[in-house]
Each structure stands twice: as structure tokens, then as C-alpha cells.
Amino acid sequence: MVETSPTSASAGAPSENLPDGVATAELFASGEASAVELLAEATSRADRVNPEINAIVGRLDDGARRAAEQLDTARSAGETGGSLAGVPFLTKDLTCTTQGQPYHAGNAALKAAGYAAPSTAHLATMFAELGLVNFGRTNTPEFGLTITTEPLAYGPAANPWNTGHSTGGSSGGSAAAVAAGIVPIAHANDGGGSIRVPAANCGLFGLKPNRGRVSLGPDSGDGWAGWSVDGVVSRSVRDSARVLDGISRPWPGDPYWAPPPSGTFESAAEREPQTLRVGLCAHSDWGPVDAECSQAVENAGKLLESLGHRVDYSAPDDMFHAEFFEHFRTIVSVQNVVMLSGLEEALGRHMSRADVEGDTWALMNIGREVSGAQYVSALEWCHAWTRRLAAWWADRDVLVSPIMAEPPPRLGELRNPETGRGRLNDLLQFTPQFNVTGQPAMSVPLHWAAGDLPVGVQFVGAHAREEMLLALAGQLERAAPWAGRTPSLWAGTG
């Protein structure tokens, strides 16, 4: 077993005191740094490191500089700005659109057409209201459909811990940028693990919020039947908590809304959690789990016990149901047929096999064969299964499991036309269940495997229990701090 302490000899380069988002906002608010200066430092870091990791696939420097100048002017006039004013930021090139900005979603046809977003997502508006200064779009697999970021349109994103390995997906570009120290926080979203998997692969904190917590409007009500949700990846728990406070509010016309927290998410991250009832799940009925991933869960259990929590081995009975992926694939395939139809309308032409990658086309073909009755039947199966699974939390507060069944794979493994789909099945055994149930879940960087590769641990709470998860995450961060542990490919400061 590899030593898991963040201060071990294999811990990578020192952090060079690069501040997190909250500390960066404090520099701006105090006048110690201007938004323009903070942006210049971030773009300089991107210039140095991005050619090696391919995390950022589109720069928005001109608009970012205008936004930074406006923040500086407002501060000079005595206006406080948002709670993260002046913090450099990146958005994933998937769903979080700003009208007139390039939007390609990892697709070569949209890239070739120079496609620009026709509308601004509510999420982009909320990010701007926080004062975040967005200067780029990050790499994503085509339409976010897999857990490695290697689109043909832009090429692979490389893991800063070991550039021969995957960043995870689909928010892999964002995770690589944060892990490498370009920005402290970046946008991410999650329809089957796409916040948690990249966070796990890149040694970051990643919280998938509860269903309905973050608006998908105005262009969508509930992506992937309510399974997809937006958030961020970050190096500190408080950064994710402060962002969630800023992006979790209902907008007119949203089809549903998660119950509001009792206080702020940030204050939850600062307080000690109550004694929690924790179930550990270090195995899967769907396939083998690498010893490093099982060990990460077992070590997390020991840490939780040392912090006073009640821990045993337990998991929902139906967590690894044999029919799960059949119904999951049915819903996702139909949703993506609808998505492709919308893009055809926007481009004003039919999109053929040559316009999308092979795996995407195969998924579309599955969706085209699904009848309306079959779609509704699959959705009803998922609803019934959700009720059975969620009942486990009546007697527990938290489920702890691996994020993936193996450490980060090598680049190319999941893109191999002969073996890639099987490898995907090998790895994706623990995260999509909680997109279907809609429960909040987070990846916490508590373990590193051979080769200094991060292995995240998943913590799943009951419906709308983000406050509890963030309190636990804050406690874990204080007990086993990870911020000082950074990859050898690190942008540092300056």
C-alpha cells in the first residue's frame, strides 16, 4: 500500500502558497491585488502549463479583461461585488453557455462551423454575479458522454500528476486546470460521475449537488431526466461551498427545486459534523475493484472512526442491480437524440455519421430505436429502483465507496475501439447510481496510488443533505489536509 499522508515523500511539488478562491477574493476585496492583476497571473500560468495538459481549448481573454476592469472600477467606487469577485475562473465547454461565445461541446462539426451559443445559461449569469472572471472554455469529451477527456475535436487532456494518464471525464479539462494550479476553481457538471471522476483522478474536491439544486435554464429543465447537475471542482472545500451558495437558487420556470439549506453551505463546511452513521462499500457486484481503491475506502473508514463516527460495512441491497445500465443507457441515448436534433436545427443542416464520433453515433442509433413506451418504462424502473436504494439512508447518514474501480487509466485505454467499452464498464461502477437517485455525492482526495496517482473516495448523503456532506468534507480536510500536495506539473505562482 502506498502511504496516503499528504506530507509523504511522494507528495509532489510544494503548493508555493497559491491561494484558493476564497483567499484570492480576499486579496481583491482588500485592495492587495486588482482583478486585472489576478487575471494576468492566471493567464500567465495557463500559458506556461496548458500546452502540456490541453485543459483549456478556447481562450476568452478580451472579455475577461473587460470584466476584470469593471470589477476594479466598481471596487474603486466602493462596491463590494460578488463573494468571489476577482477570482480567475474557467467554464467547461458543455451546457454553461454565454450568448455569442464559442460553444463546441467537444464536437468537431461544431468547431468547424465556428458555432457560437445563442443564449446565456442562468448558471453563467450566476457565476458572473459571484464576480468570477471567466477567461476560457475547458476540454470535454464529445457531448460529455464518457469518463475520459479525449475528444477528436481537441485531443486529449493530460493528467498533471502523470501526463500519460487520463484526467477523467467529462469535466477533465476543468479538473486538469485546477490540479495544475492555473485557477483555484472551475466549472464542472455531472450526469454519471463527471464531477466526481475527474476530481478523483486529479486529486481535487468535487461535490455533485442534489437534483434541482442548480438551475439548468433557460434552455433546459432537467437534463438527462434530472440526472445531470452543475457544480465545480476545487482544491478546497470552502471554495466549492461558497460557489454552491452563489449558484443554488430557483429561477422562474424551473420544474422543481431542492429543499433550501438551513444556513449557508459555506458555514456548514466550517462546523464540525454530528456523529454520523457510516456504511463502507469497498466492493462491487459488477466486477473487481482494484486493491488501491478498496484500500482508499478502508483507510477512509479508519479516519472516520478516529473522528468519532460510527462505521460498519454496509451498502444498499440494490446498488448493483443487473438491469441498471440497460435502463440508464435507454434514457441517455434518447436524450442525446433530442440533443442532436437541437444542434441540427441550430446549424441549419442534418448531422451525419461523419459529424460525430463513433461511440456517439452508436449511442444515437440505440436511442432512435427506443419507443416512447420503452422510454417511459425505463424511467419508471429508475424511479422504483431509486425508492428502494434511498431507503438505506433511513438507518445511515453516509455511504462511502470508491469513485472508480481502478486508479486513473492510461490515456487511450477508454478510446480503444476494440476494448474501450469493456474498460469503461470495468471502471464506472459506483457513481451513476447517484445521478439516477439525485442524491448529493462528493469525491474527496484522501489516497494516492503507485506512481503518485490520486484515488478519490466517494461520500453519498441522503436527499438534499449537502450541508452534512460539506461539514464532513471540512472535517476530513482539517484532519487529513491535501492542499499542500500538488502534482509535479504545477503552474505555481507569478
Side-chain angles (χ1 to χ4, degrees), residues 195-204 403-404 408 443 453-457:
I195 290 174
R196 292 159 289 162
V197 169
N201 282 14
C202 294
L204 303 175
I403 293 290
M404 296 199 309
S443 178
L453 286 170
V455 175
V457 179

Side-chain angles (χ1 to χ4, degrees), residues 45-60:
R45 293 192 294 268
D47 290 342
R48 292 199 304 273
V49 173
N50 195 61
E52 297 185 65
I53 58 175
N54 195 32
I56 306 169
V57 295
R59 292 283 284 268
L60 305 167

Side-chain angles (χ1 to χ4, degrees), residues 223-283:
W224 283 15
W227 300 349
S228 183
V229 64
D230 284 280
V232 295
V233 288
S234 64
R235 289 191 298 116
S236 72
V237 174
R238 67 178 185 174
D239 277 3
S240 286
R242 183 170 290 193
V243 171
L244 189 58
D245 279 321
I247 64 175
S248 59
R249 73 171 190 260
W251 286 72
D254 283 350
Y256 42 77
W257 174 242
S262 61
T264 68
F265 293 117
E266 187 172 1
S267 64
E270 295 170 349
R271 64 176 178 255
E272 290 294 308
Q274 63 183 22
T275 299
L276 300 174
R277 301 161 299 173
V278 179
L280 301 184
C281 176
H283 76 283

